[in-house]
């Protein structure tokens, strides 16, 4: 898959704005501020291409990026951010769940989790719901550069247990060092074969 030829296609705020089903799609989901946009920049090796901020709730709408004639990468708005109104949260949820459950082109949802935190109910809910929907999931534990070796394996094991994730089905990642990037690309490519 060619990640050098990447273009921003559009930002979708309602179901009627979704582009026609076409190229295989990979969606990136996770709590607000977990590092979804940063992970995409690291994947693309283009710092600042996908907007990143210290302010949670930066990504609004579903942002579609097209990689050559290969696939689409979809940056989803983060969930679980209290400062966004309930009504807005509900709208986001409706849009995202409709997109995920109805989208034929969607091959896999990359679920990004902060390695430093304890298992969170919202992440578990998303994972369980995706499993129910039979949508393939790739869990990624990110920000691993913030932990030392010992802490890292301990936290990873706690998240595995809390979310029912097997060690060999998730990826340890850092947007800062690029660790995990090759593994991520390998998994995405396996869906394009
Ligand atoms: N050290 C470190 N910091 C990271 C990593 N990934 C993201 N960050 C930082 O975490 C903050 C949030 O990153 P974003 O990529 O904007 O997170 P997001 O999930 O897209 O956030 P929303 O769009 O607001 O939901 C930024 O300050 C990033 O620099 C990582 O792997 N390591
Ligand atoms: Mg973002």
């Amino acid at each position: 898959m060619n990640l050098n030829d990447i273009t921003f296609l559009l930002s979708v705020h309602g179901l009627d704005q979704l582009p026609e089903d076409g190229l295989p799609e990979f969606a990136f989901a996770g709590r607000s501020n977990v590092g979804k946009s940063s992970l995409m920049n690291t994947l693309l090796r283009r710092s600042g291409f996908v907007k990143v901020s210290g302010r949670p709730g930066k990504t609004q709408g579903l942002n579609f990026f097209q990689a050559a004639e290969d696939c689409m990468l979809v940056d989803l708005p983060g969930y679980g951010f209290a400062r966004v109104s309930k009504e807005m949260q509900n709208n986001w949820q409706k849009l995202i769940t409709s997109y995920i459950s109805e989208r034929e082109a969607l091959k896999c949802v990359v679920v990004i989790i902060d390695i430093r935190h304890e298992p969170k109910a919202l992440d578990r809910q998303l994972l369980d719901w995706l499993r129910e929907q039979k949508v393939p999931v790739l869990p990624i534990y990110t920000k691993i550069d913030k932990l030392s070796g010992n802490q890292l394996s301990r936290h990873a094991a706690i998240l595995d247990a809390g979310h029912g994730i097997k060690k060999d089905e998730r990826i340890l990642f850092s947007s800062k060092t690029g660790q995990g990037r090759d593994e991520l690309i390998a998994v995405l490519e396996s869906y394009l074969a």
Side-chain angles (χ1 to χ4, degrees):
M1 88 200 252
N2 182 358
L3 294 172
N4 296 318
D5 176 9
I6 188 96
T7 37
F8 173 67
L9 208 64
L10 83 168
S11 188
V12 169
H13 296 266
L15 280 177
D16 53 338
Q17 297 168 351
L18 280 173
E20 300 243 308
D21 264 298
L23 292 175
E25 289 173 10
F26 301 108
F28 296 80
R31 296 176 65 82
S32 202
N33 217 37
V34 70
K36 296 174 292 300
S37 301
S38 301
L39 179 141
M40 291 180 69
N41 282 327
T42 299
L43 175 65
L44 302 172
R45 286 201 210 278
R46 298 267 299 262
S47 64
F49 189 68
V50 184
K51 291 229 167 47
V52 167
S53 90
R55 190 164 51 85
K58 178 75 186 174
T59 306
Q60 304 200 353
L62 283 61
N63 292 320
F64 282 72
F65 298 86
Q66 181 170 343
E69 293 303 313
D70 296 337
C71 64
M72 303 271 228
L73 307 176
V74 186
D75 190 14
L76 301 178
Y79 47 85
F81 177 48
R83 268 195 300 190
V84 174
S85 75
K86 269 277 170 295
E87 189 191 335
M88 209 165 160
Q89 286 192 39
N90 290 342
N91 284 340
W92 281 5
Q93 191 170 337
K94 228 183 275 168
L95 179 59
I96 294 171
T97 52
S98 306
Y99 163 73
I100 291 175
S101 57
E102 288 162 28
R103 192 73 170 170
E104 292 213 356
L106 182 62
K107 296 295 169 211
C108 174
V109 177
V110 180
V111 176
I112 302 158
I113 294 170
D114 191 323
I115 184 85
R116 296 170 301 169
H117 300 158
E118 77 276 20
K120 302 266 192 191
L122 277 176
D123 292 331
R124 179 73 203 223
Q125 280 167 30
L126 175 67
L127 288 164
D128 285 344
W129 180 77
L130 290 169
R131 289 163 180 150
E132 242 168 66
Q133 301 285 314
K134 308 237 183 298
V135 176
V137 179
L138 172 61
I140 294 193
Y141 300 162
T142 195
K143 304 195 185 179
I144 60 166
D145 57 280
K146 293 194 179 243
L147 293 184
S148 66
N150 264 345
Q151 285 175 307
L152 191 81
S153 24
R154 196 165 53 82
H155 279 244
I158 292 170
L159 286 174
D160 288 346
H163 290 314
I165 290 169
K166 293 193 196 77
K167 192 176 173 187
D168 63 356
E169 67 188 15
R170 42 82 170 163
I171 293 174
L172 300 180
F173 195 91
S174 167
S175 294
K176 212 168 171 184
T177 67
Q179 194 180 324
R181 180 179 181 269
D182 293 345
E183 277 174 84
L184 169 57
I185 291 175
V187 174
L188 299 185
E189 281 190 326
S190 72
Y191 287 101
L192 299 180

